[in-house]
Each structure stands twice: as structure tokens, then as C-alpha cells.
Amino acid sequence: MQAIIVAVCSFVLAVVFGKLLIPVLRALKAGQSIREIGPSWHNSKAGTPTMGGLVFIAAAALCTIAGGWRSMLAGNLTHLYVLAFALVFGVIGFLDDFMKVKFKRNLGLTAIQKLALQLAAAGAYLALLRWNGDLTCDLYIPFWNVSFEINWIVYLIFAMFVIVGCVNAVNLTDGIDGLASGVTLPVMVFFAVTAYMWGKTTLALLPAALAGGLAGFLVYNFHPAKVFMGDTGSLFLGGMVCGLAFALDMPLVLILVGIIYIMETVSVIMQVTYFKLTHGKRIFRMTPIHHHFEMGGWSEVRIFTVFTGITVVMCILAFLGVRGR
């Protein structure tokens, strides 16, 4: 019940924050630059305010802290570790967005700068979870309900690259109106239900709050978008998705709940590899794969609906796979 209340409060706050923040971003001329290699019709979106991810970040953070206050005083801090981890990625994204807005170009931090910051954040977070007793070296396999113990150093290296890969996959998904928000919302519902089912009621408040915040943000981010989440929002979402998966000690569930993120990333890898091997030929019309469907005549609303629907189905499947743990 508390998780539902937190989600509703976060939704309301996000709607209010969006109403207040969008005019401020417009006044600051914090508009999105559109990539030259993207679909030509996206040029009309140039100047739409970015960094709107601050809306659901603030709503989720405030509602999580308020809802879990008593538990925090009792020493239950895992949800705060996850929130702090996601916020670190949000800050990295904010720096990227700020540089894009300041210099009026679509490139912010360099790839090396992003990778170094993200790997450092991932390593520190995993070590903290391990120290706190939330993370084991056991790799849990959904459906089979078995775990395999792995050497800690091997697990740490594996986990760091899983986190960085997943976070940037979520970032790739943020390419059309509402897509990253819509796809991530059912993922947060999955984590909230799973955490609650396993008795981690305080941790469940965090994904519940973010689900509500994303629903509120979609009021402004759904097509035609009045604001974009920017890297501020997408990297925060990526950090939250990964942070929850590892806090619940089941990283392999990301394969199921994150199927759209994986499709987006794999499509880019396949396109680039095939392009180089064939000296200019392409598999897809354009990548990430949501642009392939867009170039094929799908509307942004249709892509949003289909991709979100696929995620809902996969989240249900993931829940069936872990409920016996």
C-alpha cells in the first residue's frame, strides 16, 4: 500500500515539477540539438527543452526519502545506495547535457570521459553492495532457480561492464518521444513488485516512486514532446535499472526486462560491423532500431506502443522466472 501511495505522490509531483521546469528551461534556452545523421523530420524538434529528466529524478528522490524515512532511521539504507548510484549517472548526464547546451552542439563529454566516470561509479557501487551484504558472488539463473558462485574479482569486472553497457543502452533508447520513459516504466513496476514480494519493502519504494515519476513525466514527454529527458534523465534511468538489478542480486534478469535496450544496442553494433565489413552496405535503414521502423513508416506513437508492450510482456515473463527464488 505504501508503495502505491509513493507512486501516486511521485506522479503528482512530476506533473507539477514539469509545469514549473519547462518554462525555466525555455528561458535558459536549454534546447536540444538534433543529430545531423538522424531522420530529417526530427529537425523540427530542434530547440525543444532538454534536461527534463530532472522532473522525474526530483519527484522520485523526494517521495522515496519521505516514504522510507522511518526505515532509514532504523538503518535500512540499501534504497539510498541505489538512488545515490543512479544520481551519479544523472550528474554525468547533466554535465553532458550542459556542455551540449552551452556550446550549441550535439556532443558533450568525450566517450573516454564518460566511460571512465561510469566504470568508476559502477566499481564503487558494487563494492558498497558487497560490503553491505546485499550482493553475493552467486550468479542467479531465472526459471531454473539455481545460482553459480563466481570469483569476486571476475564477478566485479563482469558486473562493471554489464552496468556500463546497460546504462548506455538505455541512453540509446531515448531517441523518439516518450520511448525511454515508456519502456522503463514497466521495468520499474517489475522491480517494485519483486522487491515487495521478497520482503524488501523499503527498497520497493524506489522503483515505485520512479514509475510514478515517469508516468507524470510522460504527460510532457509523450508525442509530441514538450520536453526531452536528455542524458540527465536517460543515464539516471540506466543507473536505476542496473542498480536495482544488482541490489536484488539478480543481474541476469536484465536480459528479459531490458530486451528493448538490448535490441537497440545490438542493432547499432550489427549495423556498424556490417557497414565496415561490406564497405558501405547496411542491414537496417537506420540505427538504433527504433529509427529503422520510423524510416519504414511507423509513427512515433506506434513505436512507443509496440516497444512498451514488448517490455510489459517480458517483465511478466521475468516475474514468472524469479518468483520461485
Side-chain angles (χ1 to χ4, degrees):
M1 185 63 181
Q2 188 181 17
I4 296 175
I5 293 173
V6 165
V8 171
C9 290
S10 184
F11 170 81
V12 173
L13 279 181
V15 172
V16 173
F17 289 161
K19 192 75 172 178
L20 297 174
L21 181 64
I22 292 174
V24 173
L25 292 174
R26 286 203 187 103
L28 293 174
K29 301 186 184 302
Q32 175 72 48
S33 299
I34 303 301
R35 296 177 65 192
E36 293 82 0
I37 61 173
S40 58
W41 54 89
H42 280 205
N43 292 333
S44 62
K45 300 182 181 186
T48 301
T50 188
M51 293 189 280
L54 293 170
V55 168
F56 57 76
I57 291 173
L62 289 173
C63 290
T64 298
I65 293 172
W69 187 255
R70 290 184 180 179
S71 185
M72 288 161 51
L73 294 179
N76 189 342
L77 303 176
T78 301
H79 64 300
L80 292 186
Y81 297 155
V82 181
L83 177 60
F85 175 65
L87 285 172
V88 168
F89 278 89
V91 169
I92 295 172
F94 179 82
L95 292 173
D96 200 39
D97 284 334
F98 179 77
M99 292 178 68
K100 291 175 185 176
V101 170
K102 182 177 180 179
F103 298 110
K104 301 299 179 184
R105 57 195 178 96
N106 200 52
L107 297 176
L109 297 172
T110 66
I112 295 298
Q113 289 171 333
K114 283 184 183 179
L115 181 62
L117 289 171
Q118 291 174 359
L119 284 173
Y125 174 68
L126 292 165
L128 178 61
L129 286 183
R130 177 74 170 162
W131 172 81
N132 197 50
D134 294 305
L135 182 65
T136 68
C137 294
D138 297 335
L139 198 60
Y140 172 70
I141 313 296
F143 296 104
W144 282 269
N145 201 30
V146 295
S147 298
F148 296 95
E149 187 174 355
I150 300 176
N151 175 273
W152 167 239
I153 299 301
V154 174
Y155 186 93
L156 179 64
I157 295 172
F158 155 78
M160 287 172 63
F161 281 96
V162 166
I163 288 174
V164 171
C166 183
V167 168
N168 288 286
V170 176
N171 183 243
L172 282 176
T173 306
D174 183 35
I176 61 174
D177 295 357
L179 185 59
S181 306
V183 167
T184 307
L185 200 160
V187 176
M188 289 300 110
V189 173
F190 163 79
F191 280 125
V193 173
T194 302
Y196 184 82
M197 180 182 68
W198 290 350
K200 299 187 177 185
T201 54
T202 304
L203 181 59
L205 297 179
L206 181 55
L210 184 53
L214 285 171
F217 181 65
L218 275 169
V219 171
Y220 308 102
N221 188 229
F222 189 73
H223 184 75
K226 301 178 181 66
V227 65
F228 299 138
M229 68 172 65
D231 285 356
T232 304
S234 61
L235 292 185
F236 173 85
L237 291 183
M240 187 65 74
V241 170
C242 295
L244 287 165
F246 281 95
L248 290 170
D249 203 14
M250 52 175 190
L252 290 185
V253 80
L254 291 172
I255 297 173
L256 295 172
V257 302
I259 188 65
I260 294 298
Y261 309 140
I262 294 171
M263 284 172 50
E264 299 278 17
T265 304
V266 170
S267 70
V268 173
I269 295 172
M270 289 175 62
Q271 184 88 321
V272 172
T273 303
Y274 190 74
F275 185 87
K276 290 181 177 179
L277 290 175
T278 60
H279 306 289
K281 293 183 180 179
R282 292 175 169 82
I283 300 174
F284 304 103
R285 300 181 186 94
M286 184 179 290
T287 56
I289 200 168
H290 56 257
H291 287 322
H292 170 79
F293 290 107
E294 196 177 8
M295 297 285 283
W298 284 30
S299 68
E300 293 189 47
V301 172
R302 183 180 181 185
I303 296 170
F304 169 92
T305 303
V306 172
F307 281 33
T308 300
I310 291 172
T311 304
V312 169
V313 172
M314 296 305 288
C315 284
I316 294 172
L317 185 63
F319 178 77
L320 295 175
V322 303
R323 65 176 181 171
R325 187 178 185 184

